[in-house]
């Protein structure tokens, strides 16, 4: 009697998991929005927090860096914990921890507590982000449904940063900087409660192998060194001995990590996850695209506020066309075409479209029209990125064994996080150097104070456009990599999965184009 009850229970659980997957997507998307928002929302509030808590100019970068180091350094570990401990449990734990860290940050009365809260947010974000993406990977196995689910997820992953600028502007201008932390609490509580009651994680996808401790230590230290190296390069310069030391240490640690992973029985990051050419192509092209995107967020924010004199709220609203473009690109172009064309035919043209939008921005001047230049550039950028992000997010976990879904998802987040750190440091350094050079060459001919101020503003814009040229090149390279390495065909539509007993226990491998 008991032997017949088990299959029935399993079938019922599978059917329950299947019927709840769209409700689950709403809570997963909400959590992802919170994590992505947090990457930019604090940037706008930083000057106010610095004044209130008496943080020095030298230490203010740590409000951003503490989060980036913890998040980027612990992502692979977080992805492996999700595979080992269960994705739903890891997801809910990450949400509760993130809410607690946000409450600490909002209530902080001193610099140390604020920095500690930011590091905690990063650590819990590193649990939450891979668990969210891997839940989608194992819950949506039918090609058409997967396209819709990842379309929504891709739009949030791409546009959430810009939404953070709008929300950060509103909260800072009309309330105070503390609300850029407190706003996470309702997001996290709703998502955690929804996930607890709605998500039914498919059985059979756990990876119960013992934790690879040397891999955890080497990957965490290697990624922290890499992210901190780029962050330090931005403030201390590329030739600074500490910057060079961090890059050397990172190279040694990550090379040791790869060596260890090739030898141990149960690796933290099975090399099969990154050596498969399609996933490798996605991680590389996505990381490069994020380098270009993060640099652009920075320059456009400065251009609008410093050169054009926009308020924080007006600056946030100025990013709306990019958000609209990303949502349209993800849900209307990416999701509709993903089941009809190979992913590379969405990713490569998407990155190229974004590059054309970026190319328009190289024509920026002090008096450039928002409607005539910035708006069409942002629309092209958003459409291109949205169209490319959606198949990239889906393909990054497509074809992996269920027990590797968490760590494959962590690699997507790692490429984004490292790309963001590189983009901010690299492009900011290029811009600062071009600005300094321009001002030095032209300030001599400015006799009056207004003329000197004009030269300084022209120098800033010259710096931004110089760096944006590099971003254009990076996006063209991302397009070439996607076209060359991503060679899988469109998803196999002949069979559907996701219903019935055991249907969720595997992730279909896409048909490879010959």
């Amino acid at each position: 009697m008991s032997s017949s009850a088990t299959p029935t229970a399993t079938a019922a659980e599978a059917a329950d998991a299947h019927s709840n997957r769209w409700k689950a997507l709403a809570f997963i998307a909400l959590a992802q929005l919170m994590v992505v928002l947090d990457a930019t929302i604090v940037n706008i509030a930083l000057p106010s927090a610095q004044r209130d808590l008496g943080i020095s100019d030298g230490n203010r970068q740590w409000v951003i860096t503490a989060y980036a180091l913890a998040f980027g350094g612990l992502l692979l570990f977080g992805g492996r914990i999700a595979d080992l401990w269960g994705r739903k449990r890891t997801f809910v734990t990450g949400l509760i921890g993130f809410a607690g860290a946000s409450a600490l940050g909002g209530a902080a009365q001193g610099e140390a507590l604020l920095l500690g809260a930011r590091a905690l947010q990063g650590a819990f974000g590193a649990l939450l982000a891979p668990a969210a993406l891997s839940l989608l990977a194992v819950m949506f196995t039918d090609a058409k449904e997967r396209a819709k689910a990842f379309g929504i997820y891709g739009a949030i992953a791409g546009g959430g940063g810009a939404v953070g600028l709008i929300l950060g502007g509103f909260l800072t201008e009309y309330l105070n900087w503390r609300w850029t932390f407190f706003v996470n609490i309702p997001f996290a509580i709703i998502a955690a409660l929804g996930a607890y009651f709605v998500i039914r994680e498919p059985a059979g996808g756990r990876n119960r192998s013992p934790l690879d401790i040397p891999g955890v230590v080497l990957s965490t230290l290697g990624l922290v060194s890499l992210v901190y190296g780029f962050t330090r390069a931005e403030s201390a310069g590329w030739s600074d001995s500490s910057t060079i030391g961090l890059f050397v240490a990172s190279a040694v640690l990550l090379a040791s990590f790869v060596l260890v992973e090739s030898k141990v029985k149960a690796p933290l990051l099975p090399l099969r996850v990154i050596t498969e050419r399609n996933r490798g192509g996605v991680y590389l092209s996505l990381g490069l695209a994020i380098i270009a995107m993060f640099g652009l967020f920075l320059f456009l924010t400065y251009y609008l506020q410093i050169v054009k004199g926009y308020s924080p709220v007006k600056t946030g609203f100025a990013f709306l066309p990019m958000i609209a473009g990303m949502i349209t690109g993800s849900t209307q172009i990416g999701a509709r075409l993903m089941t009809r064309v190979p992913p590379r035919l969405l990713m490569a043209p998407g990155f190229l479209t974004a590059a054309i939008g970026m190319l328009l921005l190289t024509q920026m001047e002090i008096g450039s029209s928002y409607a005539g230049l910035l708006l069409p550039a942002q629309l092209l950028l958003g459409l291109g990125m949205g169209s490319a992000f959606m198949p990239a997010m889906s393909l990054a976990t497509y074809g992996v064994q269920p027990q590797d879904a968490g760590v494959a998802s962590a690699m997507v987040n790692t490429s984004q996080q490292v790309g963001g750190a590189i983009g901010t440091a690299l492009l900011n350094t290029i811009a600062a150097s071009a600005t300094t050079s321009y001002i030095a060459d032209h300030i001599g001919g400015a006799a009056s104070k207004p003329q000197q101020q004009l030269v300084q503003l022209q120098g800033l814009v010259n710096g931004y456009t110089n760096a944006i040229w590099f971003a254009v090149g990076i996006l063209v390279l991302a397009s070439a990599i996607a076209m060359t390495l991503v060679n899988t065909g469109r998803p196999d539509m002949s069979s559907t999965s996701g219903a019935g007993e055991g249907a969720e226990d595997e992730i279909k491998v896409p048909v490879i184009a010959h």
Side-chain angles (χ1 to χ4, degrees), residues 44 165-166 168-170 172-174 300-319:
I44 283 182
L165 295 170
I166 296 174
F170 256 107
T172 305
E173 201 163 314
Y174 296 118
L300 268 188
T301 302
Y302 282 145
Y303 174 76
L304 292 169
Q305 289 196 35
I306 296 171
V307 179
K308 305 292 277 185
Y310 283 25
S311 68
V313 169
K314 192 175 177 184
T315 300
F317 274 108
F319 280 97

Side-chain angles (χ1 to χ4, degrees), residues 23-35 87-100 124 128 131-132 135 183-200:
K23 292 178 195 169
L25 173 63
F27 297 112
I28 292 168
L30 183 65
Q32 174 65 11
L33 178 62
M34 181 188 73
V35 172
R87 296 169 193 99
K88 175 179 171 177
R89 187 186 299 176
T90 307
F91 183 68
V92 173
T93 303
L95 282 165
I96 293 166
F98 202 93
F124 283 108
L128 173 59
L135 275 169
V183 74
N184 291 326
I185 299 171
F187 275 102
I189 290 172
I190 293 166
L193 287 172
Y196 183 79
F197 289 110
V198 169
I199 290 177
R200 299 288 180 269

Side-chain angles (χ1 to χ4, degrees), residues 31 99 107 123 139 158 179 219 256 343 358-359 362 446 474 503:
M139 291 174 80
W179 283 94
S219 68
S256 305
M358 202 79 88
L359 191 63
T362 61
I474 290 167

